[in-house]
Amino acid sequence: MNLETFSFETDADGIAHAIFDVPGRSMNTLTGKAIADIIAITNEVASNEAIKGLVISSGKPSGFCAGADLGEMGQAAGGKPESEMSEAELKKAQFDRGFALNKTLRELETCGKPIACALNGLALGGGLEVALACHYRVAANDNPKLQFGLPEAKIGLLPGAGGTQRLPRLIGVQEALPMILQGTSIKADKALAMGVVNELAASSDTVQKCKDWVKANPEAKAPWDEKGFKMPGGVVHRSPGAGQVATMSNAMLAAKTYGNYPAQKNILSCVYEGTQVPIDAGLRIETRYFINTQQRPEAKAMIRSLFLSTQALSKGASRPAGYPKYELNKVAVIGAGLMGAGIAYEQAKAGIETVLVDISVENAEKGKDYSRKLVEKQVSRGKMTQEKGDALIARIHPTDNYDDFKGADLVVEAVFENPELKAKITKMAEEQLGDTAVFGSNTSTLPITGLAEASVRPENFIGIHFFSPVERMGLVEIIMGEKTSEETLAKSIDYVLAIRKTPIVVNDSRGFYTSRCFGTYTQEGMQMLSEGIKPAIIENVGRQSGMPMGALEVSDSVGLDTALKVGRQMAQAAGIDYNGNELGQMMAWLVEDEGRVGRKAGKGFYDYNEKGKPARLWPDLNKKIDVKIDECPPEMKKELTNRFLVRQAIEVARCFEEGVITDARDADIGSILAWGFAPYTGGCASYIDLIWGIEAFVAEADRLADKYGDRFRPGALLRDMAAKGEGFYDRFPPAGTPAKVAA
Ligand code: NAD
């Protein structure tokens, strides 16, 4: 056999040993070549009479296999059909391709010889599916990084190598369904208790244990190939328990995903239909649903954004080349308020000595208390050792003395959003800093080029925009000022990566990228309200469109006083009489007459309970807004959904047109991680490219603009792209440093 990704040898007892070890990679994935090798090994084991059984293990110390190679799959998924085939030929070719691994693993399982799998570490997705097709599994009990799971659903796919069929047959539908639908993973102990693996052993013993088992069990079969096999917990359509799980899962799924995620729907169908028939038929059913899922635009969008682009950006794909890695030994945070306290925690957690400055030591200590509380919580939940927690806290040095950050490699300023104060801080800080230190501002709205005017080293000045709560939000928006140097960008990306967050890089403009685009969702919600659409409809459709919260609830969180101020400013700039129009009057009534400024006051569009959670939509709202639409049939839902999502995507397209954003990955990842843009779309750029297609999107945006106003009107860039049939990933492919634009 000519294998590339496995080594293969047979011992004197006739026990073959296949060691999975993809060359040049730290972890195995199921590449096309690996699948070809598994087919070759299966044929050899089945046909060679000298082979009495097989043990599969991994040559990687880190684990067995992380699953399908999504890089390969991302390129193939949804790709153009083979143009020369007839429809029937094409369907058959797609089925055969999708069924190849399923078919092979079934052949291995039924070859009449015992097969065991040694799992020294993680086995996810296709990796676990290979293991499940073996008759016996031994897992390491000494590898803390070990995890088993089928995470495909998280990126819009379903397990297509037998996972939806073998796992329910092994552990029952009740236990298997949540694992497959949610993509959750389990540790070795739990896997043993659930019956996912058969035995635990030290990593170094797993192979020998497998060999011993293979020798002792020459007649091994999968449980479902034994005569009289019964599904644990019963078959879905016959057992009340299993049936109830399937029905409830369906209802829970609908309530959670609103039908936006085809993978989850197809998983339920696979398990429901596939477990009622013999496994061979079940595996064919699985492949049909797998192909259907894989060909949906949502799958391609989710694989690209949630896996490939997220991974690339979090490894520093946009970092300009040619600068040595910036070592961050000491970083100062100025302003120990909500943001500064969170930033200090993240730095200290990453092992960076952190100086936390505020106007008094007392204030700075209060900021440090935030970390103390977080550490306490983590330690009490067993997620951090006391020792690690103490070390983290010891790295935060609260002070009111700027002298203390002499020698800092980077400063993040997080004082009040006031340009004069920020200018004063910049001058005071720079007096203490060396020529090579970076000055980062966490401003959420003030243009960086303007703030950098206070700096003696504007080339070292950059926007480093965190999101709240800092410890939970994984994104950081890096903003290039007009004079910011590439070297400063490289250093800032090194900083963001050091604290294990994902950077996107944008150019300077008011509201940058995220704050500017995010606002359009809430603005559209308020616009709908002023048109007389019932508040509950606005909120429900917002959530059903895939946004994490209704638009009115988000507005309450930001503050309705802020919304009123911004609305007035924007109307003035556009020459619109805000105070004279319905929206302006409604906002003024809410904020100025009723004092309903949002969540912070416990009252806004919603009434809030003592815990700050929305208790109900304010009933009197209906009285003021003269409700004209209080029913939401499907066509109305579609119209409102399109208004919400197209409006945001149009603003993103404008950011590309104005040079604020220059890499399609930044647009997608930024939109999902910063403001929760419907993740099944893969983000705003993929929503245009894949969910609509550029021409259809432009036509829809024009239709909406004719009906509701020019805020929906596509710009010259979109029209040009539509004329050329180009998507954002064609026009703005992954690049390095964004081109500079004037602020
Ligand atoms: P905050 O009011 O909670 O904290 C500001 C802190 O700065 C206070 O502790 C204050 O005492 C301190 N401060 C004021 N003057 C100072 C001085 N001369 N020297 C040292 N410290 C001083 O504000 P915040 O919400 O943490 O916001 C800080 C910055 O972050 C703002 O620019 C804001 O726009 C930006 N931001 C906020 C959020 C958010 O959600 N709150 C998100 C992203 C960015």
Side-chain angles (χ1 to χ4, degrees):
M1 273 188 299
N2 186 14
L3 304 175
E4 239 178 60
T5 59
F6 280 83
S7 65
F8 187 87
E9 57 183 28
T10 307
D11 69 15
D13 297 323
I15 312 295
H17 185 190
I19 305 178
F20 192 11
D21 201 353
V22 179
R25 304 256 183 110
S26 58
M27 174 52 83
N28 293 319
T29 55
L30 286 171
T31 56
K33 191 69 198 105
I35 293 173
D37 287 350
I38 294 174
I39 293 174
I41 291 168
T42 300
N43 291 339
E44 174 71 8
V45 172
S47 62
N48 186 340
E49 283 183 11
I51 296 179
K52 305 290 175 220
L54 171 70
V55 173
I56 304 176
S57 71
S58 167
K60 309 288 184 204
S62 46
F64 179 66
C65 173
D69 192 295
L70 291 169
E72 281 182 11
M73 197 182 256
Q75 281 150 23
K80 284 201 178 105
E82 293 87 335
S83 48
E84 273 135 50
M85 290 184 184
S86 70
E87 206 176 309
E89 283 170 336
L90 181 65
K91 276 202 164 148
K92 182 170 182 322
Q94 285 169 341
F95 182 85
D96 289 347
R97 215 172 29 236
F99 195 55
L101 185 58
N102 237 343
K103 177 168 169 276
T104 297
L105 292 178
R106 182 65 183 144
E107 282 165 10
L108 187 66
E109 186 176 54
T110 54
C111 74
K113 297 171 185 178
I115 319 287
C117 188
L119 297 162
N120 60 331
L122 70 80
L124 296 174
L128 183 61
E129 289 177 295
V130 169
L132 290 173
C134 299
H135 304 122
Y136 198 73
R137 287 161 293 280
V138 181
N141 60 8
D142 53 3
N143 180 351
K145 295 211 167 131
L146 177 146
Q147 46 170 326
F148 300 139
L150 297 170
E152 286 87 344
K154 285 186 178 169
I155 49 159
L157 282 176
L158 63 78
T164 68
Q165 301 305 305
R166 290 194 179 89
L167 196 61
R169 282 173 170 81
L170 194 62
I171 62 174
V173 172
Q174 286 98 319
E175 298 263 33
L177 250 189
M179 250 183 101
I180 309 176
L181 282 173
Q182 290 154 28
T184 41
S185 54
I186 51 172
K187 298 274 180 200
D189 287 352
K190 188 153 186 212
L192 182 69
M194 286 170 85
V196 176
V197 299
N198 306 84
E199 189 179 345
L200 300 186
S203 313
S204 52
D205 293 341
T206 51
V207 171
Q208 191 53 50
K209 295 269 182 201
C210 283
K211 284 188 174 170
D212 295 345
W213 183 87
V214 165
K215 258 188 235 171
N217 292 276
E219 305 293 330
K221 271 186 187 166
W224 37 93
D225 288 320
E226 298 284 358
K227 229 175 154 200
F229 167 71
K230 289 211 166 44
M231 284 273 297
V235 189
V236 188
H237 69 295
R238 270 190 246 123
S239 135
Q244 207 177 13
V245 170
T247 318
M248 275 175 49
S249 300
N250 209 359
M252 273 163 58
L253 194 66
K256 263 193 186 164
T257 66
Y258 305 107
N260 289 327
Y261 293 80
Q264 271 83 351
K265 245 166 128 179
N266 282 347
I267 286 170
L268 263 184
S269 303
C270 265
V271 173
Y272 189 82
E273 294 170 28
T275 52
Q276 299 184 37
V277 293
I279 187 154
D280 289 293
L283 293 171
R284 297 180 81 83
I285 289 174
E286 181 188 80
T287 294
R288 288 211 178 86
Y289 279 111
F290 176 77
I291 293 170
N292 173 288
T293 312
Q294 192 194 25
Q295 287 181 340
R296 301 288 290 257
E298 289 90 344
K300 183 169 187 186
M302 287 172 78
I303 293 173
R304 183 168 68 187
S305 293
L306 302 183
F307 186 78
L308 300 173
S309 300
T310 305
Q311 218 179 42
L313 295 185
S314 51
K315 283 183 182 159
S318 4
R319 185 187 190 278
Y323 302 97
K325 184 169 180 237
Y326 195 44
E327 295 299 335
L328 294 137
N329 298 313
K330 179 171 166 180
V331 174
V333 179
I334 314 177
L338 177 74
M339 297 304 288
I343 297 166
Y345 170 78
E346 288 293 273
Q347 291 182 183
K349 192 169 147 209
I352 299 172
E353 289 300 325
T354 296
V355 181
L356 184 56
V357 194
D358 209 294
I359 44 174
S360 65
V361 174
E362 198 191 344
N363 267 12
E365 277 288 352
K366 250 194 232 158
K368 183 169 173 171
D369 282 345
Y370 188 73
S371 289
R372 291 191 181 101
K373 278 193 199 121
L374 286 176
V375 165
E376 220 171 86
K377 214 183 203 176
Q378 308 261 35
V379 171
S380 72
R381 290 183 181 170
K383 292 196 168 152
M384 191 184 273
T385 62
Q386 187 67 51
E387 200 188 349
K388 274 203 173 150
D390 291 345
L392 185 161
I393 297 297
R395 280 186 213 109
I396 302 176
H397 310 285
T399 180
D400 62 354
N401 185 353
Y402 280 59
D403 287 348
D404 290 352
F405 51 87
K406 266 201 170 61
D409 302 299
L410 186 141
V411 167
V412 182
E413 162 283 301
V415 299
F416 304 130
E417 190 78 336
N418 171 335
E420 289 79 35
L421 174 64
K422 289 196 191 275
K424 189 178 114 193
I425 297 292
T426 305
K427 291 196 170 80
M428 285 165 71
E430 284 184 344
E431 279 171 23
Q432 310 298 327
L433 294 173
D435 289 347
T436 56
V438 172
F439 189 100
S441 174
N442 182 46
T443 175
S444 30
T445 52
L446 302 168
I448 295 301
T449 305
L451 292 180
E453 280 170 14
S455 168
V456 289
R457 290 183 287 271
E459 65 282 6
N460 293 8
F461 197 104
I462 195 162
I464 304 181
H465 180 205
F466 286 86
F467 298 84
S468 175
V470 179
E471 69 282 3
R472 288 221 301 269
M473 297 293 281
L475 188 78
V476 175
E477 183 178 27
I478 296 185
I479 304 117
M480 298 289 283
E482 211 173 36
K483 296 188 176 157
T484 310
S485 71
E486 280 208 340
E487 184 175 2
T488 299
L489 173 60
K491 288 174 172 175
S492 305
I493 290 182
D494 288 345
Y495 164 68
V496 175
L497 299 185
I499 56 172
R500 296 181 204 105
K501 301 216 179 266
T502 305
I504 59 166
V505 183
V506 311
N507 283 311
D508 205 7
S509 101
R510 187 160 282 276
F512 318 128
Y513 168 60
T514 56
S515 306
R516 168 178 168 173
C517 297
F518 153 76
T520 56
Y521 174 54
T522 53
Q523 285 157 25
E524 199 55 31
M526 285 193 250
Q527 186 67 42
M528 290 174 186
L529 196 62
S530 72
E531 290 166 22
I533 298 174
K534 196 175 171 183
I537 294 179
I538 299 171
E539 295 302 83
N540 287 340
V541 175
R543 282 189 296 265
Q544 288 172 13
S545 74
M547 299 300 295
M549 276 189 215
L552 303 180
E553 192 184 344
V554 178
S555 304
D556 270 358
S557 303
V558 174
L560 299 188
D561 47 348
T562 312
L564 176 63
K565 205 167 112 193
V566 172
R568 281 180 174 153
Q569 280 168 359
M570 280 170 49
Q572 197 183 11
I576 296 168
D577 178 15
Y578 190 70
N579 295 331
N581 76 22
E582 282 181 341
L583 177 59
Q585 283 171 1
M586 184 191 70
M587 292 304 292
W589 165 70
L590 268 170
V591 173
E592 290 166 351
D593 298 349
E594 299 289 334
R596 301 193 73 93
V597 296
R599 186 192 298 261
K600 59 190 166 194
K603 53 184 192 172
F605 288 125
Y606 284 78
D607 286 327
Y608 291 83
N609 64 22
E610 326 68 67
K611 288 184 182 155
K613 297 258 184 287
R616 57 172 186 175
L617 273 158
W618 183 39
D620 285 1
L621 199 53
N622 288 337
K623 291 184 193 152
K624 180 74 185 177
I625 61 162
D626 181 19
V627 174
K628 295 186 186 114
I629 295 172
D630 63 357
E631 277 181 37
C632 190
E635 62 277 15
M636 169 67 67
K637 185 186 156 201
K638 194 166 160 218
E639 181 79 349
L640 299 183
T641 298
N642 289 355
R643 281 178 65 176
F644 274 136
L645 300 186
V646 171
R647 173 91 192 267
Q648 296 172 68
I650 279 281
E651 198 62 28
V652 169
R654 289 192 184 121
C655 286
F656 275 108
E657 189 157 357
E658 292 167 26
V660 173
I661 196 144
T662 58
D663 182 326
R665 295 173 304 183
D666 287 335
D668 272 344
I669 303 309
S671 66
I672 295 177
L673 294 187
W675 76 92
F677 186 82
Y680 63 89
T681 65
C684 280
S686 291
Y687 173 68
I688 299 176
D689 278 9
L690 296 172
I691 305 294
W692 282 96
I694 186 82
E695 284 172 53
F697 178 82
V698 168
E700 175 65 5
D702 269 328
R703 185 189 72 78
L704 292 170
D706 292 344
K707 201 163 167 192
Y708 302 103
D710 273 347
R711 61 187 185 277
F712 289 101
R713 189 73 67 196
L717 171 72
L718 277 174
R719 291 196 191 287
D720 186 52
M721 287 168 61
K724 293 178 178 147
E726 274 179 0
F728 281 97
Y729 280 75
D730 307 315
R731 186 79 166 238
F732 300 93
T737 317
K740 298 274 179 61
V741 288

